[in-house]
Amino acid sequence: MSTKSRQHLYGTQIKMSAEEAVKARKEADKLACVAWNYRMLGYKGPAQPSPTIGDAINAGFLYLEVRCLGCDTNQTVALDIVRRPKTTPVYELERYMRCKNCSQVRGYPYKRSALVALRPTKISADHPASYWWPGER
């Protein structure tokens, strides 16, 4: 007399629960990134705690929007090419951000940049830069 294997009995349930866990993690990461964006745009500063680089990439926010404090331009930085561990919080990247236009083209000393928000796309005509509060444009 033979019995059914545990793989046959529980395999489907294990796979389904693993898929649900991946979806829940992605949704949780997305909500954490959206909440951080609201805090950043509302308070105009480095909101802590922030999601990690890996959480932002998992949620689909592949770009970090940065504003130069010298020339007041907004640029995006791709998070998947940042040479930091994926467990690094996003707010720790602020001290490494420098504006290329201010430092090289205009001849100014290195100007620091401020983090603005996490974005799913680059800044373009269809997807304009974020603004700090509703009155600013």
Side-chain angles (χ1 to χ4, degrees):
M1 183 186 281
S2 67
T3 60
K4 294 185 179 182
S5 68
R6 292 187 188 273
Q7 175 69 28
H8 180 73
L9 292 173
Y10 300 110
T12 306
Q13 292 174 347
I14 292 170
K15 289 178 188 176
M16 288 176 56
S17 62
E19 289 173 4
E20 288 178 16
V22 168
K23 289 179 187 176
R25 173 65 190 253
K26 189 168 187 169
E27 183 65 25
D29 290 344
K30 182 177 179 182
L31 292 174
C33 291
V34 168
W36 188 75
N37 281 346
Y38 283 139
R39 286 196 308 267
M40 286 296 292
L41 294 174
Y43 298 141
K44 294 180 72 171
Q48 298 175 16
S50 69
T52 63
I53 295 172
D55 291 344
I57 292 172
N58 185 35
F61 291 93
L62 303 176
Y63 298 97
L64 176 64
E65 184 177 348
V66 180
R67 174 179 288 175
C68 175
L69 298 176
C71 60
D72 201 36
T73 59
N74 288 25
Q75 299 173 2
T76 53
V77 177
L79 289 176
D80 56 349
I81 63 168
V82 172
R83 296 177 75 182
R84 296 276 175 246
K86 299 299 181 203
T87 57
T88 304
V90 173
Y91 76 87
E92 288 187 5
L93 298 176
E94 184 172 30
R95 64 180 149 177
Y96 303 110
M97 299 296 158
R98 303 283 191 261
C99 181
K100 186 176 180 180
N101 292 336
C102 285
S103 61
Q104 292 178 352
V105 177
R106 299 175 78 187
Y108 293 161
Y110 283 106
K111 293 283 186 175
R112 290 238 170 186
S113 297
L115 304 181
V116 177
L118 291 168
R119 300 174 57 95
T121 59
K122 287 185 171 182
I123 295 175
S124 65
D126 294 333
H127 305 284
S130 302
Y131 50 91
W132 289 105
W133 61 86
E136 178 187 357
R137 284 221 176 167

